[in-house]
Amino acid sequence: MDWITLTILVLFGAAYGRLLKTTVNWLNIDGYQIPNDIWLLEIISAWLWLWAFLEMPSNEATIFSLLASILIAVSWVDLKTFQIPLIFMIAGFVISAAGILFKLTTMTDAFWGIIVGAFVPTVLMGMTYLFTKRQGMGFGDIQLGFVLGAWLGPVRMALTLFGASFLSLIIWTIISFNKGFNKDRAMPFAPYLAIAGIGTFVGSVYFPSFFYHLIFY
């Protein structure tokens, strides 16, 4: 891939990141705005686009780049407002569904991925509330699990849920040590789902045989 193509990818990724930032600021959730002089979203998006097109075929790279950048934007908003914009979830599901049209995944894998990513956590959330009267996850997290499940399929989605739970436990423990134990402390879950989901997908690119054995054994 020549340097002109690489430059175009970086610029396109940065422009997409800027579009996501503009959308966040247009939504103005709880008055939250991402300052225009903070370019982190653009930089991350550009890096995701560049990596994807260097490591994957163009159709798979396009799906990954579009969706992973949205996941970063969703994580940012959830971290600041404890809310997940519905417009991003709709866009994310459309992009995930496009993977079926491009034959990057099957309808069966997407279906079971949604079961693992959305319906299983919904049942667990209901059981948790029944016994503890506390809501462990928000409905936005369930929507995000729906999108991730359709994209990742059942095996990678299961690993994503495990990874997200493990990461959140580590962060919760660190915060508890620094600020004191508080069982009612609320923490956004979308950032952990996004990090774990992207990390699991990247792992499947570099270690495909490992995920192949998980699927067939």
Side-chain angles (χ1 to χ4, degrees):
M1 191 175 291
D2 59 84
W3 68 270
I4 296 178
T5 304
L6 294 177
T7 301
I8 292 173
L9 284 173
V10 170
L11 292 176
F12 200 92
Y16 184 62
R18 171 62 70 159
L19 174 63
L20 294 174
K21 177 194 287 185
T22 302
T23 303
V24 169
N25 291 344
W26 171 72
L27 292 171
N28 197 37
I29 299 174
D30 289 344
Y32 177 71
Q33 300 272 309
I34 302 177
N36 286 324
D37 58 348
I38 295 180
W39 290 79
L40 186 58
L41 187 56
E42 290 90 337
I43 292 171
I44 293 175
S45 180
W47 182 85
L48 289 170
W49 279 78
L50 182 61
W51 175 83
F53 280 90
L54 286 174
E55 298 293 337
M56 293 181 286
S58 58
N59 55 356
E60 190 171 7
T62 300
I63 296 295
F64 172 85
S65 302
L66 291 171
L67 189 54
S69 298
I70 285 178
L71 293 176
I72 299 301
V74 166
S75 300
W76 195 316
V77 174
D78 191 40
L79 190 63
K80 297 296 184 179
T81 69
F82 286 86
Q83 296 187 57
I84 296 178
L86 179 60
I87 189 173
F88 284 156
M89 293 297 91
I90 294 173
F93 182 71
V94 170
I95 295 168
S96 297
I100 300 174
L101 298 178
F102 289 143
K103 298 182 179 180
L104 301 176
T105 187
T106 65
M107 186 73 76
T108 300
D109 280 346
F111 172 77
W112 286 110
I114 291 171
I115 293 295
V116 174
F119 288 99
V120 171
T122 298
V123 172
L124 293 176
M125 183 178 71
M127 293 177 62
T128 299
Y129 182 80
L130 183 64
F131 289 102
T132 66
K133 303 305 179 183
R134 295 181 60 205
Q135 187 172 319
M137 296 177 64
F139 290 107
D141 299 322
I142 300 300
Q143 294 169 4
L144 183 54
F146 193 97
V147 172
L148 286 171
W151 174 46
L152 296 171
V155 174
R156 289 185 297 189
M157 188 63 231
L159 290 174
T160 295
L161 285 175
F162 175 80
S165 300
F166 185 68
L167 282 173
S168 65
L169 178 61
I170 291 176
I171 299 301
W172 183 84
T173 302
I174 293 173
I175 293 175
S176 295
F177 271 116
N178 290 331
K179 296 185 177 181
F181 175 78
N182 180 4
K183 65 182 181 64
D184 295 321
R185 178 178 286 116
M187 292 180 59
F189 196 56
Y192 307 110
L193 280 173
I195 292 171
I198 294 173
T200 299
F201 184 90
V202 171
S204 71
V205 172
Y206 287 116
F207 306 102
S209 60
F210 171 75
F211 287 85
Y212 176 85
H213 288 299
L214 285 178
I215 292 172
F216 288 97
Y217 290 97

